[in-house]
């Protein structure tokens, strides 16, 4: 499917955006419109019926698949970007993200199993000097209790003394039943810090990572006495020297891996044109650095612990022509300080066009933004390739198992969630993602092959 997607993108440019050629499957993995699809003579067959997925309306629930996985693709009617998703017990989903109509706001939605909106609440407001200046605004979503959601996010506040804005990580609870925001926003005691990555290993532990001025930050927070408080020193070991303002060092992702916490991100070496990806392992107890390794001409936007102490890392690769590739790799356990990361395998899915600007990770044309464990082992990755939402499943050894068929929308998948019964994948993000003036919230549900 990767080759077809690239070919269609090129054909669209040459013909001025004409419709792509009829879909022809190449293997069973191409037939992911429903569970159990088989590729026969170029056509997908589901329960004995030949189907051309390119002619099927993506917004209509499809019969024949698992009862818990009605397939749909929906614009959610909000300008901006959806950045996190979590599944509900009834087959629906919770979605959070930021609107881009000034003034910006953080909003949470509840969708039912068919993708229809059940409720929508403004969670918080955030200052924005301009509509297109929201690259440091990200929200993450967790479900620590049966009746509440926990939203972790960046919020910008005006600073009257310096006439600038400062970002700081906040936490807010939202009622699952649609009752709205619960209580005031809790602010961690960290100033001028924007949030990029977060994970919640248990109900009393949060792992947070992001950007501070021209360097990195990451933090373990603990829920003690009903309050979230920093559990490590407020300032982690930085990179030296600090990066410049227009080429910042950022911690993009963080996760628990055994008795260590793994953090990944990007930074610019002095006088270097390409980003360098970095991966750091620290002690869970006190945040002490064990080691840091690097990958040249790359950026890490997401990571996920793998079996045996390894880590799946994802983001983007760069080449000398400034072409970007959506990138996924498995890094072996351990690392040598300031040495190349021990990569077991990697995949780079290049886009058809050169990417002329890498000033911010969010602006990269082809990238993987999210990872989740695949049911039964391996990893599911999601992002954007050639300005279209992209998702794929890989085994622990790197073997490609499934690639999502092209949907009806352009844009990027920024977050994903997989159902426990291995039947469904829910993606959220933004249509027309690279266009700040026109991008809008988007969601899609597809079935995973058995």
């Amino acid at each position: 499917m990767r080759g077809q997607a690239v070919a269609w993108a090129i054909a669209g440019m040459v013909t001025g955006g004409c419709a792509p050629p009829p879909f022809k499957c190449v293997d069973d993995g191409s037939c992911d419109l429903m569970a159990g699809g088989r590729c026969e003579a170029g056509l997908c067959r589901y329960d004995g019926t030949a189907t051309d997925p390119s002619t099927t309306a993506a917004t209509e629930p499809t019969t024949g698949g698992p009862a818990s996985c009605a397939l749909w693709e929906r614009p959610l009617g909000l300008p901006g970007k959806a950045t996190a998703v979590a599944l509900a017990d009834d087959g629906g989903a919770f979605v959070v993200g930021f609107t881009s109509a000034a003034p910006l706001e953080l909003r949470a939605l509840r969708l039912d199993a068919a993708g229809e909106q059940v409720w929508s609440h403004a969670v918080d407001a955030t200052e924005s000097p301009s509509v297109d200046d929201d690259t440091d605004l990200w929200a993450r979503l967790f479900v620590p209790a049966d009746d509440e959601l926990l939203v972790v996010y960046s919020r910008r506040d005006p600073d009257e003394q310096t006439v600038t804005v400062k970002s700081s990580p906040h936490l807010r609870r939202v009622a699952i039943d649609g009752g709205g925001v619960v209580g005031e926003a809790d602010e961690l005691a960290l100033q001028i810090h924007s949030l990029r990555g977060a994970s919640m290993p248990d109900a009393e532990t949060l792992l947070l990572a992001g950007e501070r001025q021209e360097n990195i930050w990451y933090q373990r927070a603990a829920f003690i006495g009903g309050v979230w408080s920093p559990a490590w020193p407020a300032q982690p070991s930085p990179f030296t020297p600090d990066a410049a303002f227009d080429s910042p060092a950022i911690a993009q992702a963080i996760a628990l891996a055994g008795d260590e916490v793994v953090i990944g991100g990007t930074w610019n070496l002095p006088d270097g044109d390409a980003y360098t990806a970095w991966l750091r392992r620290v002690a869970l107890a006190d945040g002490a650095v064990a080691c840091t390794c690097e990958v040249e001409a790359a950026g890490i936007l997401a990571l996920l612990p793998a079996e045996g102490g390894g880590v799946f890392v994802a983001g983007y690769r760069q080449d000398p022509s400034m072409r970007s590739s959506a990138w996924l790799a498995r890094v072996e356990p351990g690392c040598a300080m300031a040495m190349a990361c021990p990569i077991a395998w990697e995949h780079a899915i290049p886009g058809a066009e050169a990417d002329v600007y890498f000033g911010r990770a969010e602006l990269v044309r082809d990238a993987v933004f999210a990872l989740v464990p695949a049911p039964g082992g391996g990893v599911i990755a999601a992002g954007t390739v050639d300005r279209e939402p992209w998702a794929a499943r890989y085994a622990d050894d790197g073997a490609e198992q499934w690639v999502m068929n092209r949907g009806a929308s352009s844009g990027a998948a920024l977050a994903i969630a997989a159902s426990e019964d291995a039947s469904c994948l829910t993606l959220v993000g933004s249509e027309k993602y690279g266009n700040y003036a026109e991008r809008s919230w988007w969601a899609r549900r597809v079935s995973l092959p058995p």
Side-chain angles (χ1 to χ4, degrees), residues 163-189:
V163 198
T164 61
V165 292
K166 58 183 180 181
S167 301
S168 54
H170 287 68
L171 302 96
R172 201 148 202 181
R173 295 174 293 147
V174 179
I176 281 179
D177 63 4
V181 175
V182 179
E184 296 296 322
D186 297 325
E187 180 180 353
L188 290 173

Side-chain angles (χ1 to χ4, degrees), residues 406-429:
R406 189 174 70 161
S409 300
S410 65
L414 303 180
I416 48 176
S419 63
E420 293 183 1
D421 65 359
S423 65
C424 290
L425 185 68
T426 304
L427 308 93
V428 302

Side-chain angles (χ1 to χ4, degrees), residues 31-416:
C31 300
D32 65 333
L33 189 62
M34 293 181 249
R38 304 184 309 281
C39 182
E40 296 179 11
L43 294 178
C44 291
R45 294 185 179 273
Y46 305 95
D47 298 329
T49 302
T51 305
D52 178 354
S54 67
T55 63
T56 303
T59 56
E60 294 296 325
T62 306
T63 59
S68 61
C69 192
L71 310 180
W72 43 261
E73 182 166 3
R74 304 222 184 277
L76 298 181
L78 292 169
K81 58 186 180 183
T83 62
V85 60
L87 299 183
D89 291 339
D90 61 358
F94 304 102
V95 184
V96 298
F98 289 93
T99 64
S100 59
L104 273 67
E105 67 177 8
L106 173 69
R107 182 164 286 273
L109 306 179
R110 167 79 182 255
L111 306 179
D112 64 18
E116 298 290 349
Q117 182 175 299
V118 178
W119 53 254
S120 173
H121 290 295
V123 177
D124 204 350
T126 182
E127 179 74 13
S128 177
S130 62
V131 172
D132 65 350
D133 192 13
D134 66 347
T135 58
D136 62 349
L137 296 179
W138 285 80
R140 306 299 181 185
L141 175 65
F142 305 100
V143 191
D146 293 335
D147 58 347
E148 288 182 354
L149 308 175
L150 180 64
V151 184
V152 187
Y153 60 101
S154 297
R155 184 177 73 185
R156 283 179 155 185
D157 301 304
D159 188 327
E160 296 179 359
Q161 294 181 346
T162 61
V163 198
T164 61
V165 292
K166 58 183 180 181
S167 301
S168 54
H170 287 68
L171 302 96
R172 201 148 202 181
R173 295 174 293 147
V174 179
I176 281 179
D177 63 4
V181 175
V182 179
E184 296 296 322
D186 297 325
E187 180 180 353
L188 290 173
L190 304 169
Q191 296 298 317
I192 318 179
H193 290 53
S194 62
L195 178 78
R196 298 298 296 224
S199 61
M200 192 173 192
D202 56 62
E204 297 182 347
T205 304
L206 272 172
L207 301 173
L208 311 170
E211 176 187 5
R212 61 177 177 88
Q213 286 297 80
E214 290 90 33
N215 224 303
I216 62 171
W217 74 270
Y218 50 86
Q219 180 59 254
R220 175 187 173 188
F223 192 66
I224 302 174
V227 177
W228 287 100
S229 302
W232 289 342
Q235 299 293 356
S237 299
F239 290 117
T240 304
D242 286 357
F245 176 76
D246 60 353
S247 55
I250 308 175
Q252 305 269 175
I254 187 169
L256 180 64
D259 59 355
E260 291 183 322
V261 174
V262 183
I263 309 104
T266 59
W267 77 309
N268 269 58
L269 293 174
D271 301 321
D273 293 328
Y275 274 108
T276 296
W278 58 269
L279 188 71
R280 176 174 288 182
R281 292 177 180 266
V282 304
L284 174 62
D286 58 8
V289 177
C291 61
T292 304
C293 62
E294 299 176 346
V295 182
E296 294 183 2
I300 293 176
L301 306 180
L303 58 83
L304 181 75
E307 292 184 1
V311 180
F312 296 113
V313 301
Y316 58 87
R317 278 284 204 176
Q318 299 169 267
D319 68 17
S321 69
M322 296 305 290
R323 175 168 295 181
S324 59
S325 294
W327 176 59
L328 172 69
R330 175 171 172 147
V331 177
E332 297 285 16
C335 53
M337 189 67 70
M339 298 294 286
C341 293
I343 294 177
W345 53 259
E346 63 180 326
H347 292 278
I349 302 93
E353 302 176 55
D355 197 330
V356 297
Y357 181 61
F358 283 87
R360 283 279 182 171
E362 178 168 353
L363 305 179
V364 175
R365 189 188 305 273
D366 307 284
V368 176
F369 285 99
L371 299 174
V372 294
V379 62
I380 299 172
T384 179
V385 175
D386 287 332
R387 301 183 185 273
E388 295 181 353
W390 173 91
R393 175 174 175 170
Y394 295 90
D396 283 321
D397 63 1
E400 183 181 283
Q401 298 177 315
W402 166 82
V403 178
M404 182 178 70
N405 284 341
R406 189 174 70 161
S409 300
S410 65
L414 303 180
I416 48 176

